[in-house]
Amino acid sequence: MKKIYYFLFFVIVLSSGCNDGLLDTRPLDGIGSNFMWETSNDADLGVAAIYNAVRLKEAFLNYGLNDGFTPIAFIMNSGSSFDEYRQYKFCINTATSSESIFKQKWSDLYKGVVRANDAIANLPKIEAIDSTKRETLLAESKFLRALFYFELLSFYSGHDKRDPGVPLYIEPANYEDAYLPRSNPGQIRALMIHDLEDAIPHLPFTAIKGRTNQVAARMLLGKVYLYNGDWLKASNVFGGIISNNNAKGNPYQLYSDYGKLFQLAGEDNKESIFVISNLPIQDYGGWADLLYSNRSGNCAGTNTLIPTTYLVDSYQKKDGSDFDWTAYKAANPAFSWDNKTEVDKLFATRDPRLEASIIRPWGLFVGTSNKTFEFRPTYDAKIPPAVAYECMRTSNSSNDHYGWRKFVNVGNETTIRRSSPTDWIIMRYADLLLLFAEAKNEAEGPTDSVHWAIDQIRQRPNVNMPKIKAGISQDDMRISIRNERAWELAGEGHRYGDYRRWYKYDPTFDMTTLNHVIKGFRGNPVNPQGGTRVFEVRNWQFAIPQSEIDLNPYLEPQNTGWEN
Amino acid sequence: MNLALKKEMNLKKEPLNRIPLRRFCLVFVLFTVVLFFNSKVYSQSKVVSLDMKNVSVEQVLNSIESKTVYRFLYNKQLVDVNRKITIVTDKQEISQVLIELFKGTDVKFNISGKQIVLSKSDKKTASESLRKISGIVTDEKGESIIGATVILKGTKTGTVTDVNGKFALEAPGNSQLQITYIGYAARVIDIDDKTSFNIALFEDSKKLDEVVVVAYGVQKKVNLSGSVASVNFENLGETRAVTNLSQGLEGTIPGLLAQQSSGQPGSDGTSITIRGQGTLNNSSPLVIVDGIVGSLSDVSPNDVASISVLKDAASSSIYGSRAANGVILVTTKQGSKDKTRITYNGYYGLQNPTFPIQIVDNYPQYMETINQAYKNSGNIAPYGQAIIDEWRANSPLDPIVYPNTNWFNAVFKPSATQEHTVQASGGNDKINYLVSVGYFGNNGSMPKTDFNKISFRANLNAQVTPWFTLGAILNGYNSTQQLADVSTYMGYISNSSPGTLPRSPDGRTGGEWAPGGSVQANNVFSNFDQTNDLLTTTRILGKLSALITISKNFTWNNSVSVTLNNGFEDQNNQPTQLWNFKTNTVLRNSGTITTTLLNSYTLYNRLVLDSYLKYSLKIKKSNTIDFIAGYNQEYEKETGTASTAFDLLSIETPVMNTATTPSTIKGGYADRALRSYFGRVNYNFADKYLLEANIRYDGSSKFSKDGRWGLFPSFSGAWRLSQERFMKDVTFIDNLKLRASWGKLGNNRTDDYGTQAIYKSANVVLGEIVTPGAAPSALTNSTLKWETTSMTNIGTDFGLFKSRLNIVFDAFYKLTNDILIKLPIPTVLGGLSAPNQNAGIVSNRGFEFSLSWNDKIGKSFKYGISGNYTFVRSKVEKYRGTVATYSGNTILQEGLKIYPFYVREVESIATQDKIDEMLAAGYKFYPSTPKPGDFIYKDQQKEGETGYKIINDDDRVVKGTSVPEDYFGLTLSAEYVGFDFSVLFQGIAGVNNYLNSTWYTNVLKNGSLINKKFLNAWSIDNPNSKIPAITSDDAGRNTAANDFWLQDGSYVRVKNIQLGYTFSKQLTKNIGIQRLRLYASAENMFTVTRFEGLDPEVSATDSYPNMKRIVTGISITF
């Protein structure tokens, strides 16, 4: 009898375990796809995720490193993990199509595209949402998609109709469908224009930091035209923004202090149009501080990107004339890098943006522990009171190359090494003015409005450089604008795109002018591990990642010069 | 007859021998009872009171046993114990009782100590030549065997030996004595005219009656129809210093490859594959510990009784969806009835890396070599002659300022390892127990890698009622592991300079100060100082089982098991400084800016319910059919949180509350479930023809609702030719069996939620506020289903020359379909991780055999040799057509092996003339044109083909293999008067390793170590070298995947050597010790290989090297 009871007992235990739900497990650390895109909150989450892709390192967070591919800056082979994707190899032209930088940027940018496609496809299906909000979110998504495609074209194809294009995905794709060939730049341009024109009416003129707005969308539209050589359309779009801004009482305007613009203290300025908002929290901060700063910074910076002597020497003198070493040395025979007074004198005569952007020998820098450091051109370990200031130190201790001041935090502002609180600027009003000047000059020549735009930049209150000479030719104006972009936008990562726009199809351009042995201010090669920039035709574009071509042969042919 | 006889002899409690496991235990119990019978004097009563009416003699004997200390030994065939009798006694002497009991029968008794032997008295009438003979039965060591059966061959007359191993009986002179004893080979001896005998029995380790643990039970080895190998690990704990149970499997089982890919204490288990890599993903076997899915590291080597490896589909398909890669069954020791034993096992020893890397440790030489590499690349040499000379002159005088550091030797120091286990076991008729507690300490050879573990186990069995038996297993451990980030540290070590002092006498860590030296050069000791990382794991496994005996041949087994694993990782970091000892100033800060603290908790739990019925049906005498049917369900859940905070009050207060910068917190979750039904039928006809069928029906939460359930059947059959009449005359064959099996197995090793798309956190800062975002995290496949493997096996077992020679041979063919694999997908999908797909077919074919010979020379020299060899070759039968997938330097493509290497072939080392000549001939080189001293690769295209005269990655060819194809093991053993000696060899062949990173490259980096091999690199002065010239910037010219870096990974290793001495039982018995053994054992002592890396078993360049280990140990049983 007893056995029966046990039997029954066990049957009960067993059957209670046999609930149907046992095998229906579901993850709790995410939202199942069946439950996404249903509510207004889901819409916010989905669109925030696209912005999250903007702050991926190779999308826009480390955009400044792109300057390293041009003569104004260089990416040091630090031998450590900070040159994460070995951009250095691209600088010295030893990269292969399998280099991780190619894959990383491709993947980061397409990640943005995928998220934008997801939002654009699903936002219209949400019923429980205010329709204005829906339209705004949709507009933001379209702007962001255009932004990612713009960068994809820039790096992997070029915007010209002769360029090979990149694959174009405009809808959510499953893994079986991810084998499209490259669409030509015209098709992609059409999508970008379509997206941006759709978006512009639904975007606010200004928005909170980190979100996009109408001005950013119009500026991107202008850039799309500009990169296609559509000067008139571009100048109309840029000009339209400026006059519209004017009419609205100038919500966007140049910030009075050029140096502070790139500092935490100047973060809340009216010049920034579209930024990555950073906080001193792990995963939500910037990397520029780490990559630009020196060892004496609180982040123990790595000097991964350094400004070149080419850039520093190019800054004009305060009177607007070019700087010439030979002439300067002749006039100042006592000059020596070891002579503080002489060096101070040299830099006192130059465009103030030089000092604001770059830490030069004998310059002061407030670094870790809020201590003031002096950048002595030979590193020494002397400490006060024997000397006035402790010696600032470059990452490789050589102290023989320039360092950035732009985007480098002051004192203890950085509390977490890879999480700088300073915002990263993607679009700003000064850039807009220069783009306008460029488009207008190409379309109509050096008109008054061209002069007005460039002089605005030069005469920012604490820059106050002389105006561009009146009556110069279109060609001279072109050179002025191009130089102005280097001085104004140094370290912001736009130069590589500028070069492609200006020179890729310019038959008169001598590419060898881009090649330099990267030297410190004393004239010694800065990087004992070999710092000679080599720029060939293939360096106009990144390679399509080799792994990507391996998987999808429709992407062939590989960009010129990257065929292994 | 011996086994059956023994059973009849002593085991009168009928219900106990109903199930095979029980029978197995009883054989064991009997063995121990008889062998270790206690013959001391007892003070307990020798008188007994009985009042029993109409009962069997057996019941009376039982009653006496329960009331007194006496135990009976008798042979049921000789003594009729079923006779009914009435007996009343009142405190009578036992001898009087027995006289009364056997009055009027031919039974005589002999009381010796507390043992009473019943035998037939010799009342033979008018026996022509009966005479008294006597003798002693001993084992090969000369120690008496108690309870051996001695009968006159062909009759029922006989006796058993007493406590001194002696026997006496009357026998006719022309007859033979047959002596049998369990575990020993039977002997037959002519009596002739001798009257006194000294008979030695020899252990028969290959008894045909050997049983092996199989799925849900045990089976006689001879009756197996599937392919099962088993190892007896009873003595593992007192012979070898394995730091993880899985190491004990290396080289011991045909078809099984165990390799230890890291020597890091606490992470030094082996990776195991059975019969090759059957799939493109995880191919480690399923491990079942005492019936419950587990892991080999859950079990202390001391607690293991045996390990069975189920290799073919027939043996393992009853484990269904998880059995595709084979099954390893671990059975732990159980307490023995009647006998209390306390055993201490312990060892202590030292260990050192197996292969030190030969690096340039002379700094002047280092500087010169770096300079040369830079010059070769057209770069400026970083080191001036002044510093080189300065160093050379001063380093003998001041090695603190001018060190010549060998970083490998500085980091890896001999370290201690030890283990101590105390085990107590015992029991009685109703209850048996085994309790063990152990301490294992393994100090890292690298700093901050210590591992300590305290483990415990309690195995209990209790017969509550005749039909209800309870079992309880409680097992677990608490371990602390210093979680050094070994691969990162190995990277730091390789990125160091010999000119850096690891640590000054006062404890400060040095930096690279020499002008020209790389400031980035690491000092791993400062990293050791920076980080404390301790993982504390508490793991508890419990199992409660209930065996219900419904009838004699019908049982019902139920169990519930829980596993609880609690992990706590406590990591704190602090900044450190590197010093310039020349100027005595801080050179640079190292590591974090601020103090940081990471606390990470993980919790894993699992609940398993298991229930099965067993029914055994006997049809006539020789037909047996056994049935098993059961149900099983498992549920697992993992959760965890990790928080990080910064700026502690002090590094001495590494607790979250003392952090001044707020922390980030992350958490995770995963769960999975499995539900199964299973069954088995065994048919045994006269131990001659054996058939078996298994089936399992599994449902897993990992798959889509439609593809969730899988059915896994298998069939096997065996024919024991040696049982056939026509084989009777072939006397040298003891056992000959042919086996064949086929079955289908499953594999569910895939992501938990592979069918469900998930949006995970992708937050962003908008307007200075962290704003939540959600983005798709991975691509999904809603049609996901099982991966299935079908496997065919044919095999044969031979036992020859009285089982001295045993041969097992198996050939197999394994085909895995619907392989679950994450096919690489284009990153245009945003780099989302690829979904699993059921794609691809892989086959494995091969054979394995094992051969063992055990014999003795003379009386006391025993020796044995056993070897095994496996060959297995994999082939990707179907993949993505002609499209290949590349992973590192390997290729996965239809028609090839699994991931062979795909490399260019080096043709020669370039000279300027050769380069000029080729350029002139129109050759193009990618990624760039070689310089003198670089490789020239073979152009694989012929004239007229695309790519001719273009040397690029299209010239790669398939070479070598990354999965070993041959593996083998060999054990030699010998015993001589208490001494035992054995050597275990293990090796693999048919495998390559690609070695071109960190220590093994001609691309020298200032601030990174240089392998001495490259001192012999090609140069103008050394034009015959096959090693490419050293360079500082290779640009892929020599580092493009090529066969120079492909090395033969074959090796033969002396895995273990041991020498032990067991003291004579007679000697130790006097001091109360049953057994005393001293031993010395060495692991990984010698290796023959051409591989130049850290260790052929480790293969990776950034792993913790394997250890040579020498220990001395002691094992005492009380």
Side-chain angles (χ1 to χ4, degrees), chain B residues 572-602:
Chain B
N572 55 68
N573 299 286
Q574 58 179 328
T576 53
Q577 279 123 24
L578 298 182
W579 286 78
N580 177 341
F581 292 116
K582 168 123 174 165
T583 56
N584 223 24
T585 50
V586 173
L587 195 62
R588 66 177 168 104
N589 294 320
S590 171
T592 59
I593 317 172
T594 61
T595 49
T596 63
L597 176 65
L598 169 98
N599 279 353
S600 159
Y601 292 87
T602 54

Side-chain angles (χ1 to χ4, degrees), chain A residues 352-559:
Chain A
R353 284 174 294 185
L354 169 55
E355 284 268 22
S357 301
I358 285 153
I359 304 176
R360 46 85 183 176
W362 300 104
L364 297 180
F365 166 67
V366 180
T368 184
S369 312
N370 285 319
K371 278 188 291 194
T372 301
F373 293 84
E374 184 175 54
F375 183 22
R376 293 196 278 276
T378 304
Y379 177 68
D380 63 58
K382 292 176 198 157
I383 51 170
V387 281
Y389 305 110
E390 224 174 282
C391 188
M392 192 195 91
R393 192 157 63 85
T394 60
S395 178
N396 63 6
S397 297
S398 67
N399 277 27
D400 68 351
H401 63 74
Y402 297 105
W404 292 105
R405 201 182 285 283
K406 236 178 166 178
F407 293 113
V408 168
N409 287 340
V410 172
N412 288 344
E413 283 172 355
T414 298
T415 49
I416 301 173
R417 197 175 187 198
R418 291 169 177 80
S419 303
S420 160
T422 308
D423 293 343
W424 178 261
I425 301 170
I426 298 174
M427 296 179 183
R428 62 184 173 100
Y429 194 64
D431 188 13
L432 177 76
L433 288 173
L434 287 171
L435 290 171
F436 168 73
E438 182 181 335
K440 193 84 178 170
N441 184 49
E442 297 298 339
E444 297 169 21
T447 62
D448 286 353
S449 60
V450 174
H451 276 275
W452 170 82
I454 190 168
D455 290 343
Q456 287 275 303
I457 306 291
R458 291 175 69 83
Q459 299 209 308
R460 185 194 295 264
N462 78 339
V463 173
N464 207 18
M465 290 290 287
K467 289 183 177 181
I468 298 288
K469 244 185 275 169
I472 61 169
S473 70
Q474 187 188 31
D475 288 349
D476 286 348
M477 179 53 93
R478 182 180 298 124
I479 292 164
S480 295
I481 292 168
R482 289 180 180 180
N483 286 337
E484 202 64 38
R485 283 187 72 81
W487 305 324
E488 175 66 23
L489 301 170
E492 295 178 50
H494 300 299
R495 197 77 180 159
Y496 186 40
D498 289 345
Y499 270 50
R500 278 188 299 240
R501 179 170 79 242
W502 298 331
Y503 302 125
K504 186 175 175 188
Y505 288 106
D506 178 354
T508 65
F509 179 67
D510 176 6
M511 205 177 296
T512 59
T513 60
L514 298 178
N515 296 342
H516 297 271
V517 176
I518 305 301
K519 290 177 177 168
F521 43 78
R522 288 180 193 273
N524 302 324
V526 287
N527 199 325
Q529 288 162 47
T532 304
R533 179 190 310 289
V534 178
F535 202 98
E536 289 177 356
V537 171
R538 68 173 193 165
N539 294 80
W540 287 124
Q541 306 302 154
F542 275 14
I544 301 287
Q546 188 58 43
S547 57
E548 206 69 4
I549 289 197
D550 287 344
L551 281 171
N552 180 8
Y554 295 117
L555 293 177
E556 295 205 85
Q558 174 62 280
N559 289 339

Side-chain angles (χ1 to χ4, degrees), chain B residues 653-807:
Chain B
T653 60
V655 175
M656 282 292 163
N657 274 359
T658 70
T660 52
T661 304
S663 62
T664 56
I665 299 177
K666 290 182 175 175
Y669 174 94
D671 68 345
R672 65 201 71 100
L674 188 76
R675 168 170 292 166
S676 323
Y677 304 90
F678 57 88
R680 176 166 73 202
V681 184
N682 277 84
Y683 175 65
N684 176 342
F685 178 76
D687 285 348
K688 224 187 276 181
Y689 309 109
L690 309 157
L691 290 173
E692 181 177 310
N694 289 285
I695 196 157
R696 177 132 175 166
Y697 188 54
D698 264 355
S700 163
S701 65
K702 291 179 177 178
F703 300 103
S704 66
K705 267 206 160 109
D706 300 330
R708 169 177 288 174
W709 289 92
L711 189 68
F712 306 100
S714 75
F715 307 95
S716 64
W719 178 24
R720 289 185 65 200
L721 274 83
S722 49
Q723 299 296 101
E724 296 287 356
R725 233 170 249 159
F726 61 78
M727 289 288 285
K728 230 175 174 178
D729 298 333
V730 191
T731 51
F732 68 92
I733 295 180
D734 313 303
N735 180 32
L736 171 56
K737 181 168 67 173
L738 300 179
R739 295 179 273 109
S741 75
W742 175 88
K744 231 169 102 175
L745 303 162
N747 186 0
N748 71 344
R749 308 278 176 80
T750 179
D751 300 347
D752 290 323
Y753 310 110
T755 58
Q756 304 173 48
I758 304 159
Y759 282 70
K760 285 193 176 175
S761 281
N763 306 337
V764 66
V765 184
L766 295 174
E768 303 276 302
I769 294 165
V770 177
T771 308
S777 60
L779 292 162
T780 58
N781 178 355
S782 55
T783 60
L784 216 54
K785 59 175 188 190
W786 299 100
E787 174 181 315
T788 57
T789 299
S790 58
M791 188 166 177
T792 312
N793 188 89
I794 53 167
T796 171
D797 300 350
F798 277 101
L800 302 169
F801 312 116
K802 302 206 162 84
S803 288
R804 280 180 298 176
L805 177 64
N806 282 282
I807 300 170

Side-chain angles (χ1 to χ4, degrees), chain B residues 436-453:
Chain B
S436 90
V437 58
Y439 165 76
F440 171 63
N442 195 357
N443 289 347
S445 215
M446 175 192 269
K448 297 227 171 167
T449 56
D450 293 355
F451 179 71
N452 287 288
K453 180 173 175 177

